[in-house]
Amino acid sequence: MSDHLPSPLLEACVVVGASTEKLRELCQAVNRHRSLERVFLEPEVLHVLAPPFVSGSQAARSHGRRHRPLLRKKRKRSSLSTASPGRARHSCAGEDAANGRKDSEDAAVPKDIDLTALPQLCFPGGLQVTNVKAEEQFHFLVFTDVFGKKSHGVVAQCWRPIQELTSSSQNGAGSKLFCPYSFCVISKYPYFTALKDCLSCLLMELRACRFSDVEEKVKEFAAKLVLVPIPPPGQLHLMFTLHPLMIELPSREDKDYPAVDLDLHVPFLCFRPHQLLQVLSCLLQEQRVVLFSASCARLTLVAESLLLFLQPLSWQHPYVPVLARGMLDFLMAPTAFLMGCHLCHFEEVAAETDDLILINIDEGCVSTSCSETVDLPEIPPLAADCFTQRCQSLKIHFDLEQCKRVSCTDIEVQRARRRAWQRNLNRDIQSITTELIVNIFRDVSRHLNYEHRVFNGEEFLKSRELAEQLFYKNVLETHIFHSFLRDRLNRKMDNFARMELSTRSEMQKMKASLEIPRRPTMQEIQDRRKSSLPENKLIPRQGMSLPTLSDQEQTVHFQRSSLVTRIIMCEPAARLPPKPVTVFKLPEFPDCLSFHAVQSYYFELIRLLGKAIDSVQSENSTLLARYYYLRGFTNLLCSRRLNALANFQTLHKTDTAIFPTRVVTWLVDSLIQEEQQQANRWPELKRLILKVKTENEKPSARLDDDFKKFELPRKHLDRGEFVRCIQEGGILKDVATIHRLFDALSASESKQVDPEIFKGFYTFWKETEAEAQDVNFPAEVIEHLDHSECVYKVSSCVKTSRGVGKIAMTQKRLFLLPEGRPGFQEITMFRDIQEVKVASAPFLPLRIPSLRIRTSGKLEAFEANLKTETALWNLVVKEMWAGRKMADQHKYPQYMTQALTNVLLMDAVVGVLRSQRSICAASKLAYFDKIKHEVPMMVPKTTSEMLKHKINPSLDLAEPQTVRMLLYTPGQLTCDDSKDEMNPKLWVALSGGRVVVFDAASWSILQDAIRLGESQLNCMLGLVQDQVWIGSQDSVIYIVDAHSLSCSKRLTEHRNEVTGLALDAGNQHSSSELYSCSCDGTILQWDSSSLKVTRQFHVICEHLSSVQIHGDTLWCCCSDSIVELKKSGTPQRRLLLPEHVRGPTSALSSFIVIPERGELWTGLADSGDLFMWHADGHKAAFKKISLTGCSGVTCMIRVKDQIWVGCRGESSVGGHRDAQLRGRLLVIHPQTLTVAKELQAHSDSIQTLCSAEDRYVLSGSERRDGRIAIWRVE
């Protein structure tokens, strides 16, 4: 069983020192020579104490008897060195361990602990006998096995007279000698401070006892620590008493990262920010790093802090924070490593090894074994400057913070103050270091292709500053960066991801929501202008297609890819409120550690946990989950297996993030027949067991750890391979556009793309993208453009009707850059264009092709003699004109972005083909200019007036997805998204269990990948501002936290797909009841606070699709009827479809109840008719409303005094039916039973509707359209 349970606080307690035989020989030698000069003995493992210390079978035998030693080292021969420490380097620890195993075959040594090197590590400087009793001291160890798993050790050294250790009564010089011995506490968890406190309590107890009683005291000490459980991830800390101290175990904040139980500000006391950045840079580039200090304790604390600073990057190489003097040859290893040794070895290590980074912690300096300076690329300067500025705000001196407070007369109060101060300081430091990592690697995600798991490292390097490229080149080849990439490709939501999302600028959010091609905006150019320095001016690239104006006084110079727009410089005082911490105190340890006493301890712990559960408000489900976690494991230790399963079942509903899947699986598989029979009598346990067994039958889902770098193809590409290569190269995601690009580049006869053409196209695209980053514009130009505008194309210098200059294009307009002088002349806005055509201008006897543009409001047309560029500019301007018209008509900015992409693709196609067919090939990409001749661009007036905006929830995907459900949750339009305030959000359920969340204040994406299983999501319900309940086809109700946007609760009480959710509106702002239904007719009533089912009943029907609550009545929509129930589940009546409507395919799709009018409205999925029932009387009458051109009703909602109906219908072009379903939205007045408005904004059937505070209605459509339309409500 122990293999399946989490390890307790203590893994082993090891006593290390010199053997009795050696000490006696030493006494005899000293008495003979009457001198003592630096005597070193070989340390040995004297005792190993490891669990289990007591079991049920041992209880009777061990009761009242003293336990014999578990492992006692006996040596036939001692080895003594009285010369220099160097002669005592050779260790016989391996031989010692072998002899120990031979002498004590029954010793319970944990299999994960290697005792070979432990004696040396407990005495890094050697075991030296002295004639002066030294002060007790501590140091810390970290052990790493071949699989990378870590164990942690805390070592306490103390001194005793040799006479006492040898139990000798002889007098002489030997009686005045003192010999050290060590207690090493080993744990799977990095509780350095807590274990140091524990050992301090042990040492205090040992001072008052005889050495012959030490073994019993140590065993009692170890047995107590084995009883201490480890707190689960979260904000629940554990506390226990080990006389005379109260010791606290902090929990991990995240299950993937270790607990932090050390002072993270120690490196800030040892190094200035610049030196600390140097050290982090060396680690990021995986150098061979050696730490030096005169204090071994300081070595591990600094090393552990440095590795925590790198998170989420994880060190992958050898890591030994403390090297004994006999292990210095480890520093000859050719691979990267992080090691530490005593400062006295500094000169020796520097002289005998090459290419080491030497870090003197005591002096706070960084050097190499070859030089006093470090010749390595430094962390990018803007990220480093931000880090330095934030470091200045840290308050790292406890005494300065406490000098204003009253003095403590209670040591525990003082320790509690110190812990709280340290906890807050650690949190600030972790925030600063996470921000540093975010600022360094923020743009990595822009060069990832998630679908094909590709990282385009070359393009990422090109996007960096020239001075930073060597740093990034080194980092990109490291193992820690590859591990970081895997986490990003797996969309891991850790502290890095959360901070990267929360610190995006509004411009970055806008770009992310529109997928704008990478070009610097005018705002970014202005920011760079402010931050640029004269010495940082760049030399313009050769062959640039964008302008570089020569007037130095008017020209804006900036560094390419500056981090100014990527770094959020927080004010020093800006702090997130600390997360509240709850401390749970464990019971007092039993006086007698017998089997019955231990069981009583566990029973008392279960009682206290039950009391804590009862006292916690049900709204604090996060804390409740931690209590259930601890109680489940404690029940398991008491062999109360079914009680443990019951606790884990409750935990599964409350917080799946900490659910111990492996333990529960083992527990279910190991149930005996009697236990299984008892479990089957508990419905909740029966469901849990069924779920576990079902999950075991499924193939285990393994996260993909592979990724690849982008490579250009070497063979001809068919259509499918071309789509993959374009997506992997980071050029496009949209499959339809890629298909048009394939048609443009492929040879007409072979329908394949030549690899050389692909290479030319890719190179042209990337070079144009990079050149755009180096563009320089006069201030006059920037002043005339909007902050969000980007320049996408610039012509060569041509003659125009307004003078000689270059024509420039943004996403909004065309303008002229006059030749020879800075200036700005607007040509036209795309939305104002009336006509674009190719004309000809006379030049001597010839006629030169020119481009003529007519603009509304201007009598004179603009004409430019673009010569060979005329045909391309004609395509470009027409496509942008058509895209702008489409975007304005349909209120969908993404059309303009898509037109921009088409234009840039045309430019690249012409640039790479350079043949007569290049213009013909580029014309295949003129999508909007083409469809405006095939489909009328004009949107009906009513639709245009009502339509406010459109958004695309599938922007990050290669193809559109069906919008299954929409949910609007209210909030404040301006807030900091703290626990009390949140922006309004739009929740969008797509196909395959994917949920996208928008900020409804700006319509920017907050979270694009909440994955809730793999099945279709059927219903969503917002609960105040804290939770969103989502019902799925896989019969699970997922509960998503509205603050963290993560799912940690799952309700599995339904046996079939969940189809509906309803909240009692009367109790909307308090602890309330809600209802859920599944397709088999089951309805569950929930207490939303405790997540418990309070009532269950069943509706007899073929398919139950939704439920609604109005007053005391529960309305249920079945496929053939509407069933009216009381809240208790008592049936009242059933309203059946009229006989002439019933059919094998007829099914009710949606309904609306208007209680104050006594009306019930229903719609059919396969009919264009609505039925309005007068449902007041016992015999319901109905009226039919025919919806012209509608082939089926998909959804309905009531907004104010209107009924909005989503329909599907067939559209026709030119009198011919195209068999394409078009979404229609009808607004009906209930009083007149007439259609007041008919709205058309979707090219596929409308799937769902929702209301935003009765001000807007949002509609989502099927996958051929896949967009969300936002409508005004009159």
Side-chain angles (χ1 to χ4, degrees):
M1 183 176 76
S2 60
D3 292 338
H4 300 276
L5 296 178
S7 301
L9 176 61
L10 178 81
E11 188 179 11
C13 181
V14 184
V15 183
V16 179
S19 67
T20 304
E21 292 84 355
K22 289 181 182 179
L23 294 176
R24 285 174 180 164
E25 289 185 10
L26 175 62
C27 288
Q28 294 172 3
V30 171
N31 288 332
R32 286 196 304 267
H33 298 92
R34 300 290 178 178
S35 64
L36 178 70
E37 295 182 3
R38 305 193 66 182
V39 176
F40 287 89
L41 301 178
E42 288 186 11
E44 302 177 11
V45 174
L46 302 180
H47 304 286
V48 176
L49 298 110
F53 290 100
V54 65
S55 64
S57 60
Q58 296 171 339
R61 297 197 309 268
S62 62
H63 182 68
R65 293 191 308 180
R66 184 175 175 180
H67 294 275
R68 63 184 177 84
L70 287 173
L71 179 65
R72 181 173 294 280
K73 306 299 285 183
K74 295 183 179 180
R75 301 282 294 175
K76 296 180 180 179
R77 184 179 182 85
S78 63
S79 177
L80 175 66
S81 173
T82 57
S84 65
R87 292 178 57 185
R89 290 182 186 176
H90 302 287
S91 173
C92 298
E95 182 183 350
D96 295 341
N99 290 337
R101 286 192 295 270
K102 187 182 300 182
D103 293 338
S104 302
E105 294 179 358
D106 61 338
V109 181
K111 61 181 181 180
D112 297 331
I113 298 179
D114 182 9
L115 300 179
T116 305
L118 185 61
Q120 294 186 73
L121 294 175
C122 287
F123 294 94
L127 193 158
Q128 184 179 5
V129 178
T130 64
N131 51 17
V132 177
K133 185 177 181 179
E135 184 180 358
E136 296 160 344
Q137 58 186 17
F138 290 83
H139 67 275
F140 310 97
L141 304 174
V142 179
F143 315 99
T144 309
D145 64 15
V146 293
F147 301 106
K149 296 181 180 179
K150 292 182 180 179
S151 295
H152 308 81
V154 179
V155 180
Q157 287 186 14
C158 57
W159 276 256
R160 287 264 186 170
I162 286 184
Q163 183 178 8
E164 182 179 347
L165 296 174
T166 58
S167 301
S168 173
S169 60
Q170 64 181 0
N171 296 320
S175 63
K176 299 178 182 178
L177 300 181
F178 295 89
C179 180
Y181 61 101
S182 294
F183 300 99
C184 179
V185 175
I186 301 175
S187 174
K188 288 288 187 184
Y189 311 96
Y191 286 115
F192 297 109
T193 302
L195 292 176
K196 178 184 174 183
D197 289 345
C198 293
L199 280 174
S200 299
C201 296
L202 173 65
L203 294 182
M204 189 194 74
E205 198 171 350
L206 295 181
R207 292 190 198 111
C209 74
R210 296 175 301 174
F211 187 74
S212 58
D213 297 329
V214 167
E215 180 185 329
E216 194 66 29
K217 292 290 185 182
V218 173
K219 182 165 185 177
E220 180 183 344
F221 164 81
K224 288 180 179 178
L225 294 190
V226 169
L227 299 180
V228 178
I230 300 301
Q235 297 301 310
L236 177 65
H237 296 191
L238 298 183
M239 179 177 284
F240 59 94
T241 301
L242 198 63
H243 186 76
L245 296 181
M246 301 282 290
I247 299 170
E248 184 174 319
L249 292 184
S251 60
R252 297 171 288 167
E253 287 197 8
D254 190 285
K255 65 179 181 179
D256 295 323
Y257 297 109
V260 178
D261 188 36
L262 70 164
D263 299 346
L264 290 183
H265 67 286
V266 170
F268 292 87
L269 296 173
C270 300
F271 301 99
R272 295 187 300 276
H274 176 70
Q275 279 70 37
L276 191 53
L277 287 168
Q278 275 187 310
V279 176
L280 294 176
S281 175
C282 295
L283 294 175
L284 287 172
Q285 297 175 71
E286 289 189 347
Q287 298 297 302
R288 301 161 69 214
V289 179
V290 187
L291 305 176
F292 293 91
S293 176
S295 167
C296 291
R298 204 174 298 157
L299 288 172
T300 303
L301 295 180
V302 170
E304 284 288 294
S305 298
L306 293 174
L307 296 188
L308 287 171
F309 294 166
L310 294 180
Q311 288 179 354
L313 286 86
S314 177
W315 185 255
Q316 306 286 314
H317 291 281
Y319 170 54
V320 187
V322 177
L323 284 174
R325 60 180 183 175
M327 300 177 177
L328 295 183
D329 55 342
F330 285 13
L331 301 178
M332 305 298 292
T335 184
F337 56 72
L338 174 60
M339 300 188 187
C341 58
H342 197 275
L343 186 61
C344 65
H345 304 299
F346 186 93
E347 298 297 333
E348 178 185 357
V349 171
E352 296 184 6
T353 54
D354 298 326
D355 300 326
L356 295 183
I357 304 297
L358 309 178
I359 301 173
N360 189 331
I361 296 174
D362 299 345
E363 297 293 333
C365 60
V366 184
S367 60
T368 67
S369 52
C370 305
S371 170
E372 293 185 358
T373 59
V374 178
D375 187 19
L376 270 178
E378 295 185 346
I379 286 175
L382 289 175
D385 291 344
C386 177
F387 175 80
T388 302
Q389 179 177 342
R390 291 291 305 273
C391 288
Q392 295 173 359
S393 66
L394 289 175
K395 300 176 180 179
I396 59 176
H397 299 286
F398 176 72
D399 291 339
L400 292 179
E401 297 300 309
Q402 297 298 310
C403 60
K404 63 183 179 182
R405 304 184 68 172
V406 64
S407 299
C408 287
T409 57
D410 187 335
I411 185 175
E412 286 304 329
V413 174
Q414 179 70 2
R415 282 166 53 83
R417 283 186 184 178
R418 181 65 168 76
R419 283 195 300 265
W421 174 83
Q422 190 65 59
R423 183 165 55 242
N424 292 333
L425 179 58
N426 284 353
R427 183 172 175 273
D428 291 340
I429 291 173
Q430 287 181 291
S431 176
I432 290 174
T433 55
T434 301
E435 183 185 51
L436 172 67
I437 301 299
V438 168
N439 288 336
I440 295 173
F441 298 112
R442 180 188 296 275
D443 287 345
V444 165
S445 59
R446 296 175 55 191
H447 300 269
L448 294 176
N449 181 277
Y450 295 95
E451 181 181 2
H452 301 288
R453 299 188 65 83
V454 172
F455 172 61
N456 199 328
E458 291 186 7
E459 295 304 321
F460 175 76
L461 278 179
K462 291 177 182 177
S463 69
R464 304 298 91 192
E465 293 279 357
L466 292 177
E468 301 170 1
Q469 288 185 4
L470 183 56
F471 169 81
Y472 282 106
K473 182 179 179 181
N474 293 343
V475 172
L476 263 56
E477 298 299 324
T478 61
H479 290 80
I480 56 174
F481 181 75
H482 292 171
S483 176
F484 170 78
L485 273 185
R486 294 186 189 98
D487 288 340
R488 298 316 107 198
L489 287 168
N490 291 331
R491 298 182 183 271
K492 184 176 182 179
M493 186 51 61
D494 51 16
N495 288 336
F496 176 94
R498 283 187 284 268
M499 180 172 284
E500 194 276 327
L501 284 172
S502 65
T503 56
R504 285 180 180 176
S505 65
E506 291 302 319
M507 186 63 65
Q508 289 166 337
K509 293 178 182 178
M510 185 266 291
K511 286 186 174 183
S513 62
L514 293 178
E515 200 182 8
I516 295 177
R518 297 174 189 140
R519 298 293 187 273
T521 64
M522 296 302 109
Q523 179 66 56
E524 290 172 341
I525 291 178
Q526 286 182 327
D527 290 340
R528 290 164 175 170
R529 178 183 183 182
K530 295 175 183 177
S531 64
S532 62
L533 300 173
E535 60 268 22
N536 290 332
K537 293 181 180 180
L538 299 179
I539 300 175
R541 297 179 180 220
Q542 298 295 320
M544 284 175 56
S545 61
L546 295 174
T548 302
L549 306 180
S550 58
D551 192 334
Q552 296 297 319
E553 295 181 359
Q554 301 282 348
T555 302
V556 179
H557 293 272
F558 56 88
Q559 292 189 4
R560 180 169 62 85
S561 299
S562 172
L563 284 170
V564 170
T565 58
R566 293 186 272 121
I567 291 181
I568 308 300
M569 295 291 290
C570 302
E571 294 295 330
R575 292 281 193 277
L576 292 175
K579 297 180 181 179
V581 170
T582 301
V583 179
F584 176 77
K585 190 176 183 306
L586 300 176
E588 296 291 334
F589 293 120
D591 295 330
C592 172
L593 293 174
S594 65
F595 172 78
H596 298 294
V598 170
Q599 291 296 301
S600 299
Y601 173 85
Y602 286 139
F603 290 148
E604 177 64 11
L605 176 55
I606 291 171
R607 188 189 69 82
L608 292 177
L609 287 169
K611 185 177 179 181
I613 290 172
D614 294 337
S615 65
V616 173
Q617 294 183 355
S618 54
E619 287 80 3
N620 195 347
S621 59
T622 301
L623 183 58
L624 276 174
R626 273 71 196 162
Y627 286 141
Y628 282 120
Y629 177 97
L630 289 172
R631 195 165 72 172
F633 278 109
T634 309
N635 273 312
L636 201 52
L637 291 170
C638 295
S639 299
R640 300 165 64 172
R641 295 150 62 86
L642 294 183
N643 292 40
L645 271 179
N647 292 140
F648 293 141
Q649 161 65 19
T650 308
L651 170 63
H652 187 267
K653 292 194 304 183
T654 313
D655 194 341
T656 56
I658 61 172
F659 182 73
T661 303
R662 187 175 64 88
V663 173
V664 174
T665 301
W666 162 80
L667 186 54
V668 169
D669 292 340
S670 64
L671 289 177
I672 61 176
Q673 185 176 0
E674 182 182 353
E675 290 174 329
Q676 290 178 348
Q677 292 174 352
Q678 294 179 25
N680 289 333
R681 300 190 193 107
W682 296 4
E684 291 187 348
L685 285 189
K686 187 176 179 180
R687 282 193 292 269
L688 177 64
I689 293 172
L690 178 62
K691 174 181 173 17
V692 169
K693 291 183 176 179
T694 304
E695 292 294 327
N696 288 342
E697 295 173 358
K698 296 179 181 179
S700 58
R702 185 179 64 88
L703 288 178
D704 194 349
D705 286 337
D706 297 330
F707 70 92
K708 56 185 177 180
K709 297 180 180 179
F710 175 72
E711 294 182 356
L712 291 169
R714 299 179 181 179
K715 60 180 182 179
H716 285 72
L717 303 172
D718 59 22
R719 190 177 294 270
E721 293 171 337
F722 182 80
V723 170
R724 176 182 58 80
C725 289
I726 289 292
Q727 290 176 339
E728 287 184 359
I731 297 176
L732 287 173
K733 294 179 183 176
D734 183 64
V735 174
T737 306
I738 299 176
H739 285 169
R740 291 192 288 270
L741 178 61
F742 176 81
D743 294 334
L745 292 177
S746 62
S748 56
E749 60 279 358
S750 65
K751 282 298 179 182
Q752 289 184 325
V753 174
D754 186 277
E756 290 301 318
I757 291 180
F758 185 94
K759 179 180 178 180
F761 170 82
Y762 178 84
T763 304
F764 188 96
W765 178 275
K766 294 299 182 180
E767 286 184 351
T768 304
E769 195 175 69
E771 288 167 358
Q773 305 297 326
D774 289 327
V775 63
N776 297 324
F777 282 117
E780 289 84 355
V781 174
I782 297 177
E783 290 172 358
H784 284 85
L785 300 177
D786 295 341
H787 288 327
S788 61
E789 280 189 86
C790 309
V791 175
Y792 287 90
K793 184 171 175 59
V794 177
S795 73
S796 57
C797 191
V798 297
K799 180 180 179 182
T800 73
S801 57
R802 299 185 187 176
V804 178
K806 297 180 179 181
I807 300 174
M809 182 194 80
T810 73
Q811 66 265 46
K812 294 183 178 181
R813 73 189 88 208
L814 296 172
F815 63 91
L816 184 68
L817 295 167
E819 179 69 11
R821 58 183 176 84
F824 174 93
Q825 293 187 26
E826 182 167 306
I827 299 173
T828 182
M829 303 288 285
F830 287 117
R831 60 166 47 98
D832 297 332
I833 293 178
Q834 288 186 324
E835 182 187 31
V836 178
K837 68 177 183 178
V838 176
S840 59
F843 180 74
L844 298 177
L846 304 176
R847 300 191 70 81
I848 302 174
S850 64
L851 184 69
R852 184 175 298 166
I853 302 174
R854 291 193 177 275
T855 306
S856 60
K858 295 183 180 179
L859 297 177
E860 183 180 355
F862 173 81
E863 190 165 348
N865 299 337
L866 288 160
K867 303 177 184 177
T868 57
E869 297 181 66
T870 302
L872 176 59
W873 274 93
N874 179 51
L875 286 176
V876 166
V877 177
K878 284 185 175 180
E879 179 70 4
M880 293 294 290
W881 176 27
R884 173 51 63 189
K885 288 289 187 183
M886 288 281 288
D888 290 346
Q889 289 285 335
H890 294 269
K891 311 293 179 65
Y892 184 47
Q894 187 63 29
Y895 280 149
M896 194 67 234
T897 304
Q898 189 175 342
L900 273 171
T901 301
N902 294 340
V903 163
L904 296 176
L905 292 174
M906 293 179 199
D907 193 28
V909 167
V910 172
V912 68
L913 293 181
R914 298 186 181 276
S915 63
Q916 294 182 350
R917 76 178 186 93
S918 62
I919 296 298
C920 179
S923 65
K924 297 179 181 179
L925 293 159
Y927 173 73
F928 292 102
D929 186 48
K930 179 182 179 182
I931 65 172
K932 79 175 183 181
H933 299 295
E934 299 177 356
V935 180
M937 293 180 60
M938 292 299 297
V939 175
K941 181 180 179 182
T942 304
T943 299
S944 181
E945 290 174 349
M946 300 281 288
L947 183 61
K948 181 180 184 293
H949 193 58
K950 275 189 178 182
I951 54 178
N952 182 10
S954 305
L955 192 64
D956 195 40
L957 304 175
E959 294 180 302
Q961 299 292 310
T962 297
V963 180
R964 296 289 179 189
M965 291 298 300
L966 293 171
L967 174 68
Y968 174 88
T969 53
Q972 302 294 325
L973 291 179
T974 56
C975 67
D976 58 359
D977 245 13
S978 65
K979 197 67 177 175
D980 298 325
E981 292 183 334
M982 287 195 302
N983 281 340
K985 294 181 175 66
L986 175 65
W987 303 73
V988 185
L990 301 178
S991 302
R994 184 187 182 106
V995 176
V996 177
V997 185
F998 286 85
D999 182 343
S1002 62
W1003 301 117
S1004 58
I1005 294 179
L1006 291 176
Q1007 176 61 273
D1008 60 353
I1010 302 177
R1011 296 307 301 262
L1012 306 177
E1014 302 292 336
S1015 303
Q1016 175 180 314
L1017 303 176
N1018 294 328
C1019 49
M1020 293 196 290
L1021 177 68
L1023 199 61
V1024 195
Q1025 285 190 350
D1026 296 326
Q1027 297 176 347
V1028 172
W1029 290 41
I1030 303 176
S1032 173
Q1033 200 173 50
D1034 61 10
S1035 76
V1036 177
I1037 297 176
Y1038 298 91
I1039 302 179
V1040 180
D1041 186 279
H1043 298 272
S1044 64
L1045 303 182
S1046 61
C1047 174
S1048 59
K1049 301 179 179 66
R1050 299 180 185 180
L1051 308 179
T1052 58
E1053 275 71 6
H1054 281 285
R1055 304 270 63 83
N1056 287 278
E1057 73 171 286
V1058 182
T1059 54
L1061 294 165
L1063 177 68
D1064 190 346
N1067 298 324
Q1068 196 167 6
H1069 299 290
S1070 63
S1071 178
S1072 55
E1073 293 181 344
L1074 57 84
Y1075 294 80
S1076 64
C1077 68
S1078 54
C1079 63
D1080 63 349
T1082 300
I1083 298 177
L1084 302 181
Q1085 181 181 357
W1086 297 88
D1087 182 339
S1088 62
S1089 300
S1090 63
L1091 304 182
K1092 293 182 179 179
V1093 176
T1094 57
R1095 184 180 288 116
Q1096 176 176 345
F1097 41 91
H1098 189 81
V1099 177
I1100 301 175
C1101 64
E1102 292 183 7
H1103 186 276
L1104 179 57
S1105 60
S1106 61
V1107 292
Q1108 293 182 20
I1109 302 175
H1110 296 280
D1112 294 328
T1113 305
L1114 188 65
W1115 296 83
C1116 308
C1117 181
C1118 305
S1119 60
D1120 60 346
S1121 61
I1122 300 293
V1123 180
E1124 183 182 354
L1125 307 173
K1126 291 184 178 179
K1127 284 185 179 181
S1128 61
T1130 304
Q1132 290 187 293
R1133 60 176 164 170
R1134 181 186 297 264
L1135 304 178
L1136 295 172
L1137 284 173
E1139 292 184 2
H1140 68 278
V1141 176
R1142 298 178 197 172
T1145 61
S1146 298
L1148 289 170
S1149 60
S1150 54
F1151 75 104
I1152 292 175
V1153 178
I1154 308 179
E1156 65 272 17
R1157 296 173 57 89
E1159 294 178 352
L1160 170 68
W1161 292 66
T1162 61
L1164 296 176
D1166 60 349
S1167 171
D1169 295 330
L1170 285 180
F1171 294 90
M1172 191 277 288
W1173 307 73
H1174 291 287
D1176 284 340
H1178 294 288
K1179 188 174 181 180
F1182 67 88
K1183 293 183 180 180
K1184 184 174 75 172
I1185 302 100
S1186 297
L1187 306 178
T1188 306
C1190 173
S1191 62
V1193 175
T1194 56
C1195 49
M1196 293 192 297
I1197 62 169
R1198 182 190 179 191
V1199 183
K1200 294 184 177 178
D1201 60 345
Q1202 303 170 347
I1203 293 178
W1204 290 59
V1205 182
C1207 306
R1208 66 167 63 92
E1210 294 185 356
S1211 66
S1212 60
V1213 179
H1216 301 284
R1217 304 179 73 82
D1218 64 354
Q1220 182 177 0
L1221 294 176
R1222 299 283 178 174
R1224 301 175 64 213
L1225 190 57
L1226 306 178
V1227 182
I1228 299 176
H1229 281 310
Q1231 295 87 348
T1232 61
L1233 306 183
T1234 58
V1235 177
K1237 288 183 173 59
E1238 180 178 339
L1239 310 175
Q1240 300 178 6
H1242 295 287
S1243 58
D1244 205 344
S1245 61
I1246 295 174
Q1247 179 72 15
T1248 179
L1249 294 169
C1250 83
S1251 170
E1253 300 178 1
D1254 283 351
R1255 296 174 56 211
Y1256 301 104
V1257 169
L1258 297 93
S1259 59
S1261 61
E1262 289 277 359
R1263 63 175 302 166
R1264 277 182 291 187
D1265 181 81
R1267 302 184 183 100
I1268 299 169
I1270 304 165
W1271 307 89
R1272 295 182 178 89
V1273 176
E1274 295 181 351

